[in-house]
């Protein structure tokens, strides 16, 4: 079955540091890939997505490139801010029959950015 | 625009008591609906999904059930809660119109079973 593996946290960085959160996946066919972010006490929000190989998703200074050859979708940001402190989830979406697409999530990585 | 509501926001219930969590979506028709549970340190687990009224698919055997009495209403229930049912419950919807679809999440319900 499908699975998503992302680096264990927690990750603690100083403001303006470079961020990488690794994500690799296992899936048949060609899934779509996502990064979701969960701020404290809130639900999940889509951060960025990529639907085919070599696509780069980007939003709010975050980027991730769909690498089919390494089955990876690593999240990066050049300069993190305190407001980026949150839990980040890597996920893949694949058709499970008809119009239904299931999301498979990684376990999440807690990021804390200190001033 | 579309919005998704969940209530209650927090809930503390004794073991063995019943449960009913509600999720409603506005601004869209015939969405696919999902219930997830987020337990501490375990990421998100898909519990149920529904592609239409009265159509429920269960992902994992458990103490919970789901129902969809109306197009934009999704209910998560239990007759007798267990300690292991504690967690953060998230409802999500997607358009279900074909192709990959982004899922939009509600604010969640934090359930504590004592």
């Amino acid at each position: 079955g499908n699975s998503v593996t992302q680096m264990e946290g927690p990750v603690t960085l100083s403001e303006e540091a470079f961020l990488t959160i690794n994500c690799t996946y296992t899936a048949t066919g060609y899934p779509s890939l996502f990064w979701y972010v969960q701020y404290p006490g809130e639900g999940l929000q889509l951060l960025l997505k990529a639907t085919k190989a070599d696509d780069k998703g980007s939003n709010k200074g975050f980027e991730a490139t769909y690498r089919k050859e390494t089955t990876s979708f690593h999240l990066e940001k050049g300069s993190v801010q305190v407001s980026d402190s949150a839990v980040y989830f890597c996920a893949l979406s694949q058709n499970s029959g008809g119009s239904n697409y299931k999301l498979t999530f990684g376990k999440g990585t807690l990021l804390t950015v200190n001033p | 625009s579309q919005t998704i509501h969940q209530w209650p926001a927090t809930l503390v219930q004794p073991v063995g008591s019943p449960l009913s969590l509600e999720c409603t979506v506005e601004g869209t028709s015939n969405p696919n609906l999902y219930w997830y549970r987020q337990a501490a340190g375990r990421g998100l687990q898909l519990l149920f999904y529904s592609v239409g009224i009265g159509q429920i698919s269960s992902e994992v055997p458990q103490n919970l059930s789901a129902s969809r009495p109306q197009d934009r209403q999704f209910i998560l229930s239990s007759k007798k809660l267990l300690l292991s049912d504690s967690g953060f419950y998230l409802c999500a919807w997607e358009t279900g119109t074909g192709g990959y679809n982004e899922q939009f999440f509600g604010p969640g319900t934090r359930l504590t079973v004592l």
Side-chain angles (χ1 to χ4, degrees), chain A residues 36 38 49 99-102, chain B residues 32 34 38 59 99-100 103:
Chain A
Y36 280 83
Q38 184 180 32
K49 64 191 178 200
S99 67
N100 178 248
Y101 281 74
K102 292 185 188 178
Chain B
N32 292 336
Y34 302 82
Q38 185 179 21
E59 284 296 292
Y100 98 91
Q103 289 188 17

Side-chain angles (χ1 to χ4, degrees), chain B residues 23-47:
Chain B
C23 170
T24 59
V25 182
E26 296 177 358
T28 187
S29 296
N30 196 31
N32 292 336
L33 296 173
Y34 302 82
W35 277 112
Y36 292 87
R37 177 169 58 205
Q38 185 179 21
R42 295 185 61 185
L44 280 156
Q45 180 184 36
L46 178 63
L47 302 175

Side-chain angles (χ1 to χ4, degrees), chain A residues 3 11-12 23 36 42 44 58 63 67-68 81 87 93 101 104 107:
Chain A
S3 67
V11 174
T12 303
C23 171
Y36 280 83
E42 299 183 9
L44 272 68
S58 61
E63 293 183 339
R67 300 287 187 199
K68 186 171 179 293
Q81 305 301 312
V87 180
S93 173
Y101 281 74
T104 301
K107 290 188 176 181

Side-chain angles (χ1 to χ4, degrees), chain A residues 2-95:
Chain A
N2 297 338
S3 67
V4 175
T5 303
Q6 61 182 103
M7 65 187 287
E8 299 276 339
V11 174
T12 303
L13 296 173
S14 298
E15 208 165 22
E16 299 184 2
F18 184 84
L19 168 71
T20 299
I21 301 178
N22 290 338
C23 171
T24 57
Y25 67 90
T26 302
T28 55
Y30 303 97
S32 296
L33 301 175
F34 306 84
W35 277 100
Y36 280 83
V37 59
Q38 184 180 32
Y39 297 104
E42 299 183 9
L44 272 68
Q45 302 173 28
L46 180 67
L47 180 59
L48 53 85
K49 64 191 178 200
T51 59
K52 60 183 187 298
D54 299 326
D55 268 3
K56 178 186 283 188
S58 61
N59 185 26
K60 299 181 181 180
F62 291 89
E63 293 183 339
T65 301
Y66 189 144
R67 300 287 187 199
K68 186 171 179 293
E69 63 277 12
T70 55
T71 61
S72 65
F73 194 55
H74 304 322
L75 182 68
E76 295 182 337
K77 186 174 185 181
S79 177
V80 294
Q81 305 301 312
V82 172
S83 57
D84 293 327
S85 298
V87 180
Y88 292 81
F89 292 92
C90 185
L92 68 84
S93 173
Q94 198 155 38
N95 185 270

